[in-house]
Each structure stands twice: as C-alpha cells, then as structure tokens.
Amino acid sequence: MNDPVWLMLIKGVLVFVVLVLLVLFTIWYERRVVAIMQVRPGPNRNGPFGLLQSLADGLKLAFKEDTMPRTADKLVFLAAPVIAVACAFTAFSVVPFGPVVNVFGIETELQLTDFEVSVLVILACSALGVYGIVLAGWASGSAYSLLGALRAAAQVISYEIALGLAVLAVFFQSKLMSTGAIVEAQAEGLPLSIGGAEITLPGWYFIVLAPSFVIFVIAMVGETNRAPFDLPEAESELVAGFATEYSSLKYASFFLAEYVNMVTMSALAVTLFLGGWAAPFPDSWWPGANEGFMPLVWFFGKVLAFLFFYVWLRGTLPRLRYDQFMNLGWKVLVPVSLVWLMVLAAMNIGLDTGNELPTRIAFAGGAAIVVMALIFFWPSRKPYEDPAEPDTGLGGFPVPPLDLAVPPNPRSLKQLEPASTSSAPINGSQKEEE
Amino acid sequence: MIDLAQAAGLAQSASAGEAVFFWILAPIALGGAIGLVLSRQAIHAALSLAVTMMCLAVFYIMQSAPFLGFVQIMVYTGAIMMLFLFVLMLFGRDSKDSMFETLRGQRLLAVLLGVGLAALLSSGLARAVSGLVIAEPTAPAGQGNVEGIAEALFSTYLFPFEIVSGVLTVAAVGALMFAHVAKKGGHRGQKEHSRERFAPGNYPGPRPGPGVFANSDSTATPALRPDGSIEPASLSEYVPPRQLTPAEAAPKHTEGRES
C-alpha cells in the first residue's frame, strides 16, 4: 500500500460516498422489501420506484427542531452521536472491494488501506461504536434511555465474544489477519477425493467453516442491534431506547450509524466467509470475471444479498425476550464456538500430512469422538410429563364440568315482536329483530 | 515530568510523522489522565481513562506493534471500560464524589505524598532507561508481529500464561459464586401462579382503581361501592385517602369554556 496522497484522498472520499449512498439505498430497500413481504406497496412516491424517499426523509430530519433535555449531560450528549458515526465509517476503511486495478496509470488495490491485522480494525471499531449508544443513553437523563443503554452494553459485550470466536476460526484456517490476504486465500479451491473422483470445492470459508459462519451471522445481527435482537431500542418496551431524547440531525446520525454498521458487518461477512470480491463461479467459466473493475459487481451483489437477509429477518422474526437472548448468546453460541475451535485445531493437525500417522489419527479421531459425545449427551430440556391428576376445579382452575351441556342460544328462543304502535317504524328496532 | 522529557528524546530519534503524532497525542493522553483524577462525575472519569487508553493504543501502533494496539482498543477500551461504564450506570446517574473531607488535612497530605511518589517513580525510571540504546524491533526472519507474539506467548512464556489464565478464571468463577443467589422455592410456573390467584379468599380480578363511583378520580380518592361504602382494596398504602370537597371536585374550566 504505497499510494500517492491524492489517490488516498480520492479513495477515502469514495468510501464515504459509497457508504452514504448505500445507506440511502438500504433504507429504501428495507422499506420496500418489508412492504412486499407484507403485501403492500411501500414508499413509491418520491422519484422512480420511491428511490428518493430516504433522501426526503433525511432532509426532513435535518430541518426538525433540535431539542436537548434539561437533565442532559451536555458534552456527552453531543459527543455520543459523533462517536457512533465516526466508528461506523472508520470500520469500512479496511474492506477490500476488488483486486489490483490501474487508476490513472497507477497500480493500486480497490481498498482504502490494508495491513497485517486489518480485521482487528473492524472489531475494534464495532467495540468503540457501542460507546456512542451507551453514552447517548446515559447522557439523556431519562429512564428509558438509560435502560436502552444498559441493554446495549450487555448485549454488545456478550455477542462480541461469539463474533470474535467465529472470526478466530477464520484466522485459524487461513493463518492470516489481513482482509485482502484472507480474500486471496479463499480463491484456492479445496481439492477433495470422494471414492476416487477428484472434486474441487470452492475454497470459500462458509463451506469449510460452516459452524463459524452460522455463529458469525447470528452474532452479527446481535452486534448491530437489528431485529430480532433490537432490544436496546425496543419500541414496544422502551419508546426508542437510547435514542428517545434525540431529535433532528443527532437522531439522524444514530440512524446513519446503524445502517453503516449493517453494511460494514455484511461486507465483513462477505470478506471473511463468502470469498470477498471473487466471482461466485469457477474462473474457467468466464476468465475475465475476477479482473479489473468487474469484481465490484460481485462484491456489492453479495453485500446486497446480506442486507436482504437482514431485512428478511426483520420481516419474519419477533423480538426475543431479554433472558432468551442472553441464554442464546452465553449458553449456545459461546460454548459451541469454543468446542468448534478445538475440533478445528485437532482436525487441522489430523489432516496435516507432515505429522506421523498415529498422531494424525489420534487428533482427527479424538475430534470426531468429542463431537459425537456432545451431540449425544447435550443437556437438553426435561421431557414433558403428563400431570398426575386432572384438574377438577376445586381449589384449582375454574374449569367447566366435563359433561357440560351447551345451553340453547337465547336468540333462537326470541319471538318476533309485533311492530310498535307508532306510525313510522324505527330502523334500529327492525335491525334487532333481524 | 522526567518521563515526558525521556519520551521526547525517544520521539526525536523517530521519524518526523511519528514525532508529530506523538506531540499531538501525548498531551491528549496526559489530559485524559488528569481528567480521570479531577472529574467529579464517575462517568466523566471513566471516559477520560478511555481516552488515555486509546492514545496508548495509537502509540503502540506507531511503535510497529499493530496487533498489541488493536487488542488494547478491543480489550481495554471496548470490554473492560465498557464493564466499568455498565457498573457506574447501574449505580445511577447522580453518583458524584463526596466533597466532604472526613480526615483533617487529608487533601494536603495526599498531594504531598502523590508528588513524592511521582518523583520517586520517575527518577527511578529515568535512571533505568537513560542508558538504553533504542533499537529497531527485531523479529526473526519470516515472522510478523502476530507470529512473534504467538511464539513468545505459547512457547517461551507458556507456563506463566497458563497460570495467569487460571487465576483469571478462578477470579471470575469466584465473583459468580459471590453474586449467585439461589432462588427460594424453585421456579413457579403458570399453573402455580394461577392456583394462587384463584385460591379461596383471593379476588382474581384486578384491584378497583381509585375513584370508582366517587366524585373524583384523584389517587387519594378511594373507590366507592354501589352502596356508598369505601372499597378497602382501592386504598393505597402510601397516599392518605380523603374525599375531595365539592369545590375541589368541580370542573376547573381549564379548557377556556364557560359551562
């Protein structure tokens, strides 16, 4: 990465512009997709297909009155949205969009910056981004905001562990921590011989590391506070959670940060598990597919597919209860990731042809036995037991008697009354008789 | 301030860009440290500490230790400080330092001893560091930052590393043990709750609200039964009940309409 300064500036501005445009698009996309899922048209008035709806919403938000509660901590209240937005945008700087291309006669990668440990930048930024939410909730001086902030802090710390363990499996497999290098490592196929037939599977890590991919996707939704894990801003419980007291541009910045985080997490998932900018088919089908600016299409296609997944989740799943959510994080995702990491390490030693045969068999067989034992002896729920004696209603529930005879419908007993003596019949009484 | 002079000497030998960053970040880091001590509100102190930690992380990255720098951000600023914030927020928003001096002359003594400790530490550190020659970080050939740390951690210092992780785990389990309160009587399901609700002598419906059948809906007004007697379930434990006078209960014309 030895770009001249002007090229770095252009790249930086481009990353910013791409993110803002993607956010505008994603808001429209989300509303339209959810609308289609709910069999209604969705926003379709502003611009073609309603594409300018989010732009109009943004302008409207900017011109709203900016309020600050009297009990607010002024400095922290102002700093919180800035922290959220800055962290969200910074994280995107290490995402690779494409391979080395020629820009104005200079060979450069389609990536703002890359170095030895660049995946950690995204994790660090998402860890810092929580400060924005937590401080916003605390500084607002309102009970709902504080509850939202507490939930956000607990949620992100819990799900960051599962997220980190899932990413760790990628580090294990590729022995790399740089986003660009991980994408290149996935380009190599996975040779496999089944019954003599040589098959080359795609080397994308969502196949090799399928459990990690599943855990990553679940933790990613928890980390970005999106439905069904949107407990910090649960509108049916906490008004708007941490953002209750915010209005105008400050509220818009939280909105922006949330959507940028969604895009960043989708891009990270694509980079780590779905081959990054590589085309979703073998090179032999279309030799030029992975060269020049063409990979941008594959990259953004995959990111949009992930964003669709986010919207799909929101349109389908109800919000989790808080204790269920924490149980999922700590009692399922974290232990499963830990066991999977151990198994992965053992399998890697077992498959490594450099070791002696007994070592390899011992490690691979041990890993297989551990997995089998876990599947068979996983502590599951208590089986359902039938109640010992049926409830009779005495001291228990007011159950109706089992031989209950349904009384006759009072309407069927009602006789047609003769019309009243008044000259004009009243409509209401006629209706009753019908 | 000998530390700072020493660090300035370090910065001079480094590249110009590094020096610029050092002189920007070092005052911020010091400001954070001072803010930690001086701020009265616990959250402000925690935030100042977070700023100092971030600056330290950037220093690590500048000293060509990017892995250490980002782990510092993730672990210290992202997780540990967040836990501090969590605990502080649980205490409530108005928890401030008490400015009442319980020990006579404590503040003066604290300042004197603090300055003395700082002088002692910095002079000792200066003596230890002054003779050192600054060398480039030497990693074995073909090893990067991460591999170097992994090699040191998992081969040379494996035993201390394992001991430390054991101690940390024991501490975490111990904290859980102290915090754990066993539930009395086990879990009560829907059936138990329902039985309790419909037990003889208990009225299963909601309590009557204040002011039912009364001439006002104030919280202080007990509900009246249809026969005019007071419904005891509508009496609040905390608000002394009283019937409003007819003048109090009359419409107050707040809507600007004469009726």
Side-chain angles (χ1 to χ4, degrees):
Chain A
M1 281 277 143
N2 286 319
D3 296 332
V5 177
W6 58 268
L7 191 57
M8 295 283 266
L9 281 179
I10 290 179
K11 280 183 178 178
V13 171
L14 268 183
V15 164
F16 185 79
V17 169
V18 160
L19 271 180
V20 171
L21 287 181
L22 257 181
V23 166
L24 286 182
F25 175 77
T26 310
I27 296 172
W28 169 84
Y29 183 65
E30 173 171 23
R31 293 179 65 180
R32 285 292 284 211
V33 171
V34 164
I36 289 167
M37 285 175 178
Q38 296 167 350
V39 203
R40 57 188 174 86
N44 58 1
R45 294 285 140 177
N46 300 309
F49 304 108
L51 263 170
L52 298 181
Q53 178 68 41
S54 27
L55 192 67
D57 281 345
L59 284 176
K60 182 200 74 176
L61 260 182
F63 285 113
K64 282 193 164 186
E65 186 189 354
D66 197 359
T67 56
M68 187 190 278
R70 213 175 343 140
T71 48
D73 189 306
K74 303 246 169 357
L75 184 69
V76 182
F77 189 80
L78 287 175
V82 180
I83 295 175
V85 170
C87 292
F89 275 101
T90 313
F92 213 71
S93 59
V94 292
V95 173
F97 296 96
V100 177
V101 292
N102 197 328
V103 185
F104 304 122
I106 293 171
E107 295 278 314
T108 179
E109 280 170 38
L110 280 177
Q111 186 175 6
L112 179 56
T113 179
D114 194 9
F115 51 97
E116 212 184 348
V117 292
S118 50
V119 176
L120 295 187
V121 175
I122 300 181
L123 296 182
C125 282
S126 82
L128 286 185
V130 202
Y131 271 85
I133 293 178
V134 170
L135 292 180
W138 175 79
S140 294
S142 133
Y144 288 128
S145 306
L146 190 67
L147 282 174
L150 281 172
R151 282 186 179 191
Q155 167 169 351
V156 174
I157 290 178
S158 317
Y159 274 65
E160 215 166 51
I161 296 173
L163 191 85
L165 286 174
V167 175
L168 215 56
V170 175
F171 295 162
F172 257 44
Q173 194 66 22
S174 64
K175 304 185 176 65
L176 293 165
M177 292 171 97
S178 136
T179 47
I182 285 176
V183 170
E184 275 158 27
Q186 292 179 66
E188 290 171 22
L190 195 70
L192 207 67
S193 64
I194 301 170
E198 291 287 329
I199 305 169
T200 308
L201 286 177
W204 295 2
Y205 288 145
F206 84 98
I207 299 173
V208 192
L209 307 172
S212 292
F213 180 62
V214 173
I215 291 165
F216 184 90
V217 169
I218 297 173
M220 168 177 108
V221 180
E223 185 83 3
T224 41
N225 300 331
R226 287 283 305 178
F229 300 150
D230 55 346
L231 298 145
E233 44 189 323
E235 69 275 354
S236 53
E237 301 160 23
L238 299 177
V239 190
F242 62 89
T244 304
E245 304 295 343
Y246 280 86
S247 60
S248 187
L249 267 183
K250 293 201 205 81
Y251 178 75
S253 357
F254 281 119
F255 214 71
L256 182 69
E258 181 185 332
Y259 278 81
V260 172
N261 276 333
M262 262 168 75
V263 175
T264 311
M265 278 294 161
S266 304
L268 182 65
V270 167
T271 305
L272 292 184
F273 291 100
L274 293 186
W277 40 260
F281 43 79
D283 271 348
S284 52
W285 291 15
W286 180 2
N290 282 335
E291 284 159 30
F293 286 94
M294 205 55 209
L296 286 178
V297 175
W298 316 130
F299 178 79
F300 284 108
K302 289 174 195 171
V303 169
L304 284 187
F306 252 104
L307 290 175
F308 174 80
F309 179 72
Y310 265 113
V311 177
W312 193 11
L313 282 183
R314 186 194 148 182
T316 315
L317 294 176
R319 183 179 300 128
L320 263 76
R321 223 170 51 204
Y322 197 72
D323 57 331
Q324 294 169 335
F325 173 72
M326 280 293 163
N327 279 348
L328 175 69
W330 286 104
K331 294 187 184 168
V332 180
L333 293 185
V334 172
V336 168
S337 322
L338 283 174
V339 171
W340 163 241
L341 272 182
M342 298 298 287
V343 169
L344 187 69
M347 290 305 275
N348 272 346
I349 295 175
L351 293 176
D352 187 2
T353 43
N355 292 322
E356 287 173 18
L357 194 62
T359 322
R360 291 172 56 193
I361 292 174
F363 271 97
I369 288 171
V370 165
V371 171
M372 288 293 191
L374 276 177
I375 290 173
F376 278 114
F377 300 109
W378 190 262
S380 51
R381 281 165 181 250
K382 263 194 305 187
Y384 177 74
E385 286 171 17
D386 282 325
E389 95 283 9
D391 257 315
T392 51
L394 281 170
F397 297 104
V399 262
L402 291 175
D403 53 348
L404 179 73
V406 181
N409 189 340
R411 275 193 210 174
S412 66
L413 300 176
K414 204 171 180 184
Q415 297 287 326
L416 279 182
E417 288 170 22
S420 57
T421 51
S422 63
S423 56
I426 305 158
N427 286 341
S429 67
Q430 269 185 346
K431 259 182 195 164
E432 271 178 21
E433 283 161 16
E434 286 165 23
Chain B
M1 294 293 104
I2 302 170
D3 270 2
L4 198 61
Q6 197 74 43
L10 283 175
Q12 267 174 6
S13 64
S15 68
E18 218 177 302
V20 168
F21 269 105
F22 176 82
W23 286 113
I24 293 173
L25 287 177
I28 299 178
L30 276 182
I34 293 169
L36 164 68
V37 181
L38 291 189
S39 41
R40 300 208 173 158
Q41 201 141 35
I43 295 259
H44 289 169
L47 284 183
S48 314
L49 186 58
V51 168
T52 306
M53 285 173 168
M54 295 275 296
C55 292
L56 286 183
V58 179
F59 285 146
Y60 293 153
I61 296 168
M62 283 187 335
Q63 303 287 331
S64 52
F67 180 77
L68 195 60
F70 283 109
V71 167
Q72 159 101 1
I73 293 181
M74 279 164 64
V75 173
Y76 277 90
T77 326
I80 294 181
M81 281 314 295
M82 191 50 73
L83 277 181
F84 275 19
L85 279 187
F86 192 80
V87 173
L88 290 177
M89 279 170 22
L90 280 181
F91 281 151
R93 216 172 149 260
D94 296 322
S95 59
K96 288 180 183 167
D97 274 0
S98 161
M99 283 295 122
F100 182 70
E101 225 173 321
T102 42
L103 298 175
R104 189 181 291 271
Q106 173 206 23
R107 204 166 289 177
L108 184 72
L109 268 177
V111 168
L112 280 179
L113 289 177
V115 169
L117 183 68
L120 207 65
L121 280 181
S122 48
S123 68
L125 208 63
R127 203 171 293 210
V129 174
S130 58
L132 288 182
V133 184
I134 298 151
E136 285 288 307
T138 50
Q143 273 196 346
N145 197 259
V146 185
E147 287 90 345
I149 290 181
E151 176 91 46
L153 213 54
F154 291 108
S155 60
T156 322
Y157 299 106
L158 180 64
F159 190 64
F161 179 72
E162 291 292 333
I163 294 273
V164 167
S165 26
V167 167
L168 281 177
T169 313
V170 168
V173 173
L176 280 180
M177 282 292 296
F178 280 125
H180 182 73
V181 181
K183 258 189 198 165
K184 262 183 267 173
H187 179 69
R188 293 196 324 154
Q190 194 180 9
K191 183 166 263 186
E192 282 76 32
H193 278 292
S194 197
R195 275 185 198 283
E196 213 165 77
R197 189 166 162 201
F198 288 102
N202 193 33
Y203 179 66
R207 297 269 172 89
V212 178
F213 286 118
N215 56 3
S216 156
D217 55 2
S218 151
T219 332
T221 318
L224 298 183
R225 285 171 171 168
D227 62 355
S229 61
I230 287 177
E231 166 61 46
S234 74
L235 291 172
S236 166
E237 275 178 66
Y238 307 106
V239 184
R242 68 191 181 97
Q243 289 285 1
L244 297 190
T245 59
E248 281 174 317
K252 301 291 190 301
H253 304 297
T254 45
E255 285 136 354
R257 262 184 289 132
E258 293 295 321
S259 57

